[in-house]
Amino acid sequence: MKILLVFTSLVAAACSEQLFVGDQVLRITASNEEQVALLRALGEQTELQVDFWRHPASPGHPADLRVPFPSLQAVKTLLESNGISYSILIQDLQELLDEEKKAMAKSRRTQRSTSTFDFASYHTIEELYDWMDALVADHPDLVSKLQIGQSYENRSLYVLKFSTGGSNRSAVWLDTGIHSREWITQATGAWTANKIAEEYGQDPSVTAILDHMDIFLEIIANPDGFAYTHSSNRMWRKTRSINAGSHCVGVDPNRNWDAGFGEAGSSWNPCSETYHGPYANSEPEVRAIVDFVNNHGNIKAFISIHSYSQLLLYPYGYTKTPVPDHTELHEISEKAVTALSSLYGTRYEYGSIYTTIYQASGATVDWTYNQGIKYSFTFELRDTGRYGFLLPANQIIPTAQETWLALKVIMQHTLDHPY
Amino acid sequence: ELPPSHHSATRAAALAACYLSYQRGSPWRGLALRAVRSCRRQDIDGVGHKYYLELVLEDVLDKDSTVNCTAEVLHHLGNKKIAPDVQFTIEGELKNTDEADNVFYNRIKSLEKELVAENIPDNHGNISPEMEPIRLLAWVASGYVIWQNSTENTKFQLAQIKHVKQVKRSDEYLEFDYMILLHEMVSQEIIPWQMTVLWHPQHGVQVTRESRQPKHA
């Protein structure tokens, strides 16, 4: 502790960085008044440039003296010839200062480090954004952060890119938090991002996937809504865009896509939780993803994560008509759900959106499927209603762990079936 | 015959489970839908749609404790004001909760000041142990509200208790005035709902008044 104080006082005293290479700090114990006087006199010899960290007070009480390297020989000779006992407290002051500096920098990093981030609790938007930066810093060769746009209230829309190189490789897209009250999803997104980074090079399947494909993960797809769930209304679902001519705010971002837009299964009423918005892609949060997908041009799997109900869903939501790839998607779903259940016995149902939950028009994965992204899925995570949106934090990690198994099935299938 | 994952089956099953839970529940016994084993739908001309269900229910407080049951749900044609008819049979015995119920009953009866609480569970999903029976009582009672207000196009869940206040009575019943939030799955709306709940260990749960409240902007 004293060393830290020394460091800070030294830094304070010397604005330009003064180097203390080879300087030593001696602990000197004068045994009588004569020796105490001698020490004091030593301190007054300006050409020696010594300074007392602890002044000579009385016999038997140690004094600590910093001696610059050039004066070391002279000071030690003086002490020895006068029979004043001393020991070397600090062998090389600069070395010590350098180590301290490193330790302080490391401790600052550790506070933002992924190894101390608590995945088993719910976080604010600031905490998650800080942690994202830490993840990138910890895995610079694998993870980078992209900004794909801005929300209605001008918050950054960040996507984490996991890539081992290549140029515009086939990719998997994951998003969580598009409905802001579904807190288990953002929390799962964070855990999953960390898991992907950890498992590359460890898990053969993840390694194979990332050696050939990129993964994009947007953890907070609706930051305005998310901030609102923390500050004002925990049950907020939609975006926070102002609706002209209405006192009601927000558009359902999962009804705002250009697939069956505005049809039955969404609402024209701005006060409704399923309000589709004035036109398709009116919401910047949606527009940003649409633009990203179109510009990328090589996304092969698109997984949008919601809660709750414990369902794995594939298109369509806007029509009863099955998608052409219905059989394959059904088979993948069965495999994914089996994998998911294997961990904790969590029961999932699966099927198309339309048959399994309800008609929904303008839904994300309907649009992505129609863009040619065959492996388009929507998850509805835990639970089935006991806690609903208010899922206790102790279920975050189990939920993320089991969901991960299902995600791996889908990603592996995508890798094995290029198109 | 409907696949158990079909939304018509899951909605009918959820409704049956709510009704059943209301009929058989207590502050220490809540029954939740675990799985739909089978579902058959019959369209009866001039009457409505009838669903024949085989369900598995689980004890909310002990997930390993399950019970099979059969249920019939009849949604009447046209008139939205009539609650669906529900009948059920439970195979086997439900767990006896008399002791826990009585302890809770006596605890509340002996409170000097009326119990008041809010936000159960809280925003992070936490419920304090003392509030668990208050929460479960609301859950059981909401089964009645849900049953009374369900159609083939709705699926309600109790999302949260916003506020609960005990109302002291001179008779043996416990009375609670709840303001709850119901989550309606199809419209995704969060609907505030008031309900007045009576309970006595021997007489079960009763909802004497319930009314939908206006949504805040």
Side-chain angles (χ1 to χ4, degrees), chain A residues 24-65:
Chain A
Q24 291 190 344
V25 176
L26 307 178
R27 176 154 285 177
I28 309 165
T29 313
S31 47
N32 55 45
E33 284 295 348
E34 219 184 307
Q35 288 189 345
V36 173
L38 214 144
L39 279 181
R40 288 214 188 96
L42 181 65
E44 254 123 68
Q45 291 183 52
T46 47
E47 72 277 10
L48 287 176
Q49 297 261 293
V50 301
D51 79 274
F52 279 105
W53 283 11
R54 189 156 47 158
H55 283 270
S58 53
H61 286 98
D64 294 338
L65 183 72

Side-chain angles (χ1 to χ4, degrees), chain A residues 101-156:
Chain A
K101 213 170 159 184
K102 261 197 297 193
M104 278 171 65
K106 186 170 177 226
S107 124
R108 259 202 315 277
R109 257 205 324 277
T110 313
Q111 267 150 47
R112 308 187 309 158
S113 160
T114 53
S115 59
T116 57
F117 185 82
D118 184 8
F119 292 101
S121 58
Y122 291 113
H123 290 279
T124 63
I125 198 173
E126 293 77 26
E127 287 166 358
L128 282 168
Y129 278 3
D130 280 349
W131 163 82
M132 275 187 227
D133 289 338
L135 185 74
V136 171
D138 281 359
H139 304 272
D141 294 332
L142 181 66
V143 192
S144 56
K145 187 177 83 171
L146 315 171
Q147 181 168 350
I148 62 167
Q150 284 195 307
S151 70
Y152 183 83
E153 291 173 347
N154 288 318
R155 290 183 175 84
S156 301

Side-chain angles (χ1 to χ4, degrees), chain A residues 2 36 56 61 65 79 121 139 164 224 251 328 342 360 364 412:
Chain A
K2 185 169 79 179
V36 173
H61 286 98
L65 183 72
L79 294 173
S121 58
H139 304 272
T164 60
D224 296 349
V251 167
E328 188 184 1
S342 71
T364 310
Q412 185 70 53

Side-chain angles (χ1 to χ4, degrees), chain B residues 108 113-118 120 134 161-168 174-179 194-197 209:
Chain B
I108 303 294
K113 268 182 66 179
E114 287 93 343
L115 180 145
V116 173
E118 45 183 39
I120 303 167
I134 296 288
I161 299 165
K162 283 312 284 180
H163 188 82
V164 58
K165 194 184 72 185
Q166 180 193 359
V167 178
K168 283 223 168 171
L174 295 183
E175 179 177 334
F176 296 93
D177 185 3
Y178 282 96
M179 184 64 71
Q194 182 276 334
M195 60 180 189
T196 304
V197 181
R209 188 174 67 227

Side-chain angles (χ1 to χ4, degrees), chain A residues 181 234 237 271-274 308-309 347 349 354-358 384-387 389-393, chain B residues 5-7 11 34-35 60 121-125 127 135 157 159-160 183 185-190 215 217:
Chain A
R181 64 190 180 198
R234 174 64 177 82
R237 165 186 169 91
C271 297
S272 164
E273 295 283 19
T274 55
Y308 59 91
S309 284
R347 297 180 59 107
E349 295 289 353
Y354 187 98
T355 53
T356 314
I357 31 172
Y358 40 58
T384 54
R386 175 89 179 103
Y387 287 94
F389 301 121
L390 306 180
L391 196 71
Chain B
S5 60
H6 193 280
H7 66 245
R11 287 175 201 173
R34 167 81 79 96
V60 156
D122 69 15
N123 285 353
H124 291 232
I127 307 176
R135 164 31 140 128
Q157 297 276 359
Q160 194 182 34
H183 173 225
M185 189 69 75
V186 179
S187 65
Q188 289 294 335
E189 297 295 333
I190 301 285
K215 217 174 104 167

